[in-house]
Each structure stands twice: as C-alpha cells, then as structure tokens.
Amino acid sequence: LGLVNDVLDLAKLESTQTLPTHAVAIDLGKTTRRLVADVVEAAAARGQSLAVEAPEGVHATLDERHLERIVLNLLSNAMKFTPAGGEIRVSVSADAAGFHLAVKDSGIGIPEESLGAIFERFRQLDQGRARKYEGTGIGLALVSELTRLLGGTVAVASRVGEGTTFTVSFPRPPSSRSLPAR
C-alpha cells in the first residue's frame, strides 16, 4: 500500500507539481527520534546498528506526513545498502539558515558518476541480471520531490566502500513566530 501511495504521489507531483500540504509546528528532534524508534528493531534484525542524535527543541513548521515519508525512505535506503555489522546514524541540527536532517550509513556507497542520477524516478543503480538489491527506484525520487515541495533541498555525499550521507535542509521561515510544537 505504501508503494502504491508513493507511485500515486509521484504521478500527482508530475502532473500538478504539488500535493496538499498541512504545515504545523513540530519538534523535529522528537519526531525524528520517534521515526527511528519505529525501525530500530528491523535494523537490529539485519545486524545493523542505528543511532540517532536529535535534540528536543529544534522546532520547524513542516508537513509532518511528508517529513515522515522523507525520513522513512532515507532510513529504508540506508538499511538496504548497509551490510550486517554496519552503522546508520541519523542527526538533526539547526543553524541560522535552517534545519538539517542527515542520514549517514557505512554501506556500499554510490559511484561518483552515478550521484547526479540517484534522484531520478525509477532509476536503479543496481541493474541487470545480477541485481542484488530490491527496489523500484521510487524512494529517493519521492524524497527529492517532497523535500522540494516543503521548500527544502536534499544533498548527497558518498564514497564507494565507505558509505553515503543524505542531508535534507529546510530554510527558516522569514518571520520566525514561535508556535507551540506538537
């Protein structure tokens, strides 16, 4: 069902360039810790360690449902490409420019020549008959589209054999009225 919803949302974004959003004030650290807690057992079952550094009090006004899909897709991707014994670290931070969420893994990494294509829809770097990793090529495209929809940017840094870091950044709103966080 989640995959079907992702495909439908990508189709909506392609045709209308937008999805309904409902921005609310959230504690980004608290929300991120909750999402990581939802997958920590799955990571442990795969022999991966999953750590989170997300202090409370990092308040942002975002669509929580879209943020959840961004975080869970990044975590799923990290888990897929990190071998047993590997580590995945999630961090939340804020600075004068905005809010940042990073998902770093010690996985297989992405070749430099492929970095420019990883956010393309239905793009899979592991193709052909010897394909080792499951996937549809939707997750990172959806991360990119939802991040853009929320006014943010997503960046990737990777080294083959050392791992990958995805960093999603959201700017601070022009007027930083303080709203109570959920």
Side-chain angles (χ1 to χ4, degrees):
L1 181 59
L3 182 58
V4 169
N5 286 334
D6 287 351
V7 170
L8 290 173
D9 283 348
L10 277 174
K12 286 179 198 171
L13 284 165
E14 188 171 85
S15 66
T16 65
Q17 298 297 305
T18 190
L19 284 174
T21 59
H22 179 68
V24 296
I26 60 170
D27 184 319
L28 193 56
K30 185 177 176 181
T31 299
T32 301
R33 282 196 316 280
R34 176 180 54 80
L35 294 168
V36 169
D38 288 347
V39 299
V40 73
E41 284 184 31
R46 296 172 68 105
Q48 302 162 334
S49 67
L50 181 55
V52 62
E53 183 180 322
E56 285 191 33
V58 178
H59 299 286
T61 302
L62 298 168
D63 183 300
E64 191 168 17
R65 182 175 161 269
H66 294 333
L67 177 66
E68 287 175 357
R69 292 173 77 193
I70 290 167
V71 172
L72 291 175
N73 269 298
L74 289 175
L75 283 170
S76 172
N77 205 63
M79 290 170 59
K80 184 185 328 179
F81 294 104
T82 300
E87 180 180 59
I88 300 164
R89 301 188 64 75
V90 181
S91 63
V92 170
S93 62
D95 58 24
F99 311 99
H100 313 283
L101 170 91
V103 177
K104 180 178 183 174
D105 67 58
S106 63
I108 63 171
I110 302 166
E112 186 175 341
E113 63 274 8
S114 298
L115 287 174
I118 61 169
F119 295 110
E120 292 176 9
R121 294 173 184 169
F122 309 111
R123 177 64 156 224
Q124 297 169 326
L125 300 182
D126 179 34
Q127 297 178 351
R129 288 188 160 171
R131 187 170 163 204
K132 288 172 45 174
Y133 301 98
E134 292 293 323
T136 58
I138 291 175
L140 292 178
L142 189 61
V143 165
S144 177
E145 293 291 335
L146 290 174
T147 300
R148 178 194 55 78
L149 185 66
L150 296 177
T153 58
V154 60
V156 59
S158 188
R159 293 183 68 105
V160 173
E162 295 181 21
T164 303
T165 302
F166 286 93
T167 304
V168 178
S169 299
F170 299 103
R172 288 191 184 272
S175 68
S176 293
R177 289 186 329 192
S178 186
L179 299 173
R182 297 181 352 154

